[in-house]
Amino acid sequence: MIGKHSPRGRRHALTLLLILVAAMLVLCSGFAGAQTRTVRIAKQYGVSYLPLTIMEEGKLLEEHGKRLGVDLKTEWVQFTGGPPMNEAIISGNLEFASGGVGPLLTIWGKTRGSLDVKGVAALNSMPLYLNTINPNVKTIKDFTDKDRIALPAVKVSIQAITLAMAAEQAFGAGQQGKLDALTVTLGHPDGMVQMMGGKSEITAHFTSAPFMYQELEDKRVHKVLDSYEVLGGPHTFNVVWATTKYRNDNPKIVEAFITALDDAMKQIAKDPAAAAAMWVKNENSKLPPVEVERLIRLPENEWTMVPKKIMAYAEFMNRAGLLSVKPAQWQDVFFPDTHKLPGS
């Protein structure tokens, strides 16, 4: 029998103490490894960001992060356009940005060889409408110096670039900037309010869902241009992007993001009514959920991660001097996770 005060007893007690301390260190290191990671995600206004809204409301990134052994906390930030979002991601104040194809291509071109920002996935394929309250404007050729066109960001937003593409088609080669002087930077909600008020200089609004559909409910408003006509068919409207460094340093988080986004897409397809209710709640929208559901179900609005007509935008932007380097293929602009999708 070993007495607790004997040399052997003291050695035995010391051994047990060391084992206990070692176990506690392992346990503590486990807790440290499982610390919560904060992921900052940006979106803009409109139903086109519905997949991200479903992710936010359902805490899907957190759920899929846990499945991969990563404890995540999300911070959602709302912007009115792509340029300030790009500034945030360049300065390291944002992990995932989202917006139109134009801002994505712009930051892809500017960060090649440095941050190497690339697309994570598309959010949808949706048309953009250029609406007006000016009865004399039937086509974009009818705009005069008395008109002002509101859009999210002059020169760089997908609306501005689509308008430049339409101008080139209407007025001829080299005339892509003919309507630039008429454009004004306004977020979607403000652009709609300014045009519909009828008292400001804004007589036209190049916008997206649900704003473009809401405007057309007023008899004073008519559609001048549809982006599907300009691009020759359905095209990606919104995409998500991140830096290559963040993707390389956080492969599990990016994997969780893509899986969560796919989950959101499936939920929209399975239950558009529930998705509409989530969006109305999240945006504090005054639109009836049944109307949002109708917009979600419109055949022209497709909820997909497949990038479409990226090269059409890239080729134009390069030709117009808005993109210094033209990608050889759409995959150059996106991370490998999407390369097997039937994009264009």
Side-chain angles (χ1 to χ4, degrees), residues 246-263:
Y246 184 79
R247 179 182 179 273
N248 291 344
D249 291 348
N250 304 278
K252 286 189 176 182
I253 294 178
V254 175
E255 181 182 348
F257 186 97
I258 293 172
T259 307
L261 184 59
D262 182 60
D263 190 351

Side-chain angles (χ1 to χ4, degrees), residues 20-321:
L20 180 61
V21 170
M24 289 180 67
L25 288 173
V26 170
L27 185 62
C28 289
S29 66
F31 283 139
Q35 68 183 27
T36 302
R37 301 284 301 279
T38 298
V39 182
R40 296 162 296 183
I41 308 170
K43 61 178 181 175
Q44 299 181 49
Y45 295 93
V47 75
S48 61
Y49 294 91
L50 178 63
L52 296 182
T53 301
I54 301 300
M55 283 177 60
E56 179 182 3
E57 288 291 315
K59 296 188 179 299
L60 299 184
L61 183 57
E62 293 89 333
E63 176 187 330
H64 289 282
K66 281 186 178 180
R67 291 180 181 176
L68 294 173
V70 186
D71 191 13
L72 300 176
K73 173 188 175 184
T74 54
E75 287 184 5
W76 294 86
V77 189
Q78 205 154 25
F79 287 77
T80 58
M85 213 177 291
N86 279 343
E87 291 175 11
I89 206 165
I90 286 173
S91 63
N93 293 316
L94 202 60
E95 278 71 61
F96 293 96
S98 62
V101 174
L104 165 63
L105 287 168
T106 298
I107 195 170
W108 171 80
K110 288 182 177 179
T111 62
R112 290 177 74 252
S114 55
L115 290 176
D116 284 321
V117 173
K118 291 188 177 184
V120 176
L123 292 178
N124 51 53
S125 286
M126 299 178 73
L128 308 166
Y129 291 178
L130 173 57
N131 294 332
T132 185
I133 58 171
N134 186 343
N136 298 318
V137 176
K138 305 301 181 185
T139 74
I140 62 171
K141 287 186 175 182
D142 299 324
F143 282 116
T144 70
D145 290 340
K146 295 181 180 180
D147 294 294
R148 290 295 180 272
I149 305 167
L151 40 74
V154 171
K155 291 281 191 181
V156 296
S157 66
I158 188 173
Q159 287 86 354
I161 292 168
T162 304
L163 182 62
M165 295 173 78
E168 182 184 66
Q169 293 172 9
F171 300 106
Q175 297 297 306
Q176 64 271 6
K178 190 173 179 65
L179 299 176
D180 284 358
L182 305 183
T183 59
V184 178
T185 297
L186 282 174
H188 295 298
D190 290 336
M192 183 174 72
V193 169
Q194 291 287 321
M195 184 183 77
M196 300 305 291
K199 296 181 180 180
S200 76
E201 63 177 358
I202 304 300
T203 59
H205 189 201
F206 206 169
T207 186
S208 61
F211 310 101
M212 62 192 195
Y213 298 119
Q214 289 176 270
E215 293 170 353
L216 288 170
E217 291 176 2
D218 191 306
K219 293 181 180 179
R220 298 173 299 161
V221 179
H222 65 276
K223 180 170 66 172
V224 179
L225 190 71
D226 182 326
S227 63
Y228 278 11
E229 298 169 358
V230 179
L231 273 293
H235 63 81
T236 292
F237 172 25
N238 299 124
V239 288
V240 176
W241 59 89
T243 66
T244 293
K245 183 179 186 306
Y246 184 79
R247 179 182 179 273
N248 291 344
D249 291 348
N250 304 278
K252 286 189 176 182
I253 294 178
V254 175
E255 181 182 348
F257 186 97
I258 293 172
T259 307
L261 184 59
D262 182 60
D263 190 351
M265 298 286 186
K266 290 174 180 176
Q267 288 189 34
I268 294 170
K270 182 179 179 180
D271 196 344
M278 282 190 191
W279 184 84
V280 169
K281 174 191 172 186
N282 184 274
E283 291 278 317
N284 196 25
S285 174
K286 295 180 180 179
L287 282 173
V290 67
E291 173 60 14
V292 177
E293 181 186 352
R294 184 185 73 81
L295 302 184
I296 292 172
R297 290 180 178 273
L298 285 175
E300 66 184 14
N301 296 328
E302 184 182 1
W303 309 99
T304 176
M305 291 195 292
V306 178
K308 295 184 179 182
K309 296 193 181 296
I310 304 300
M311 288 303 296
Y313 275 110
E315 288 166 1
F316 170 77
M317 290 176 66
N318 177 249
R319 187 169 68 251

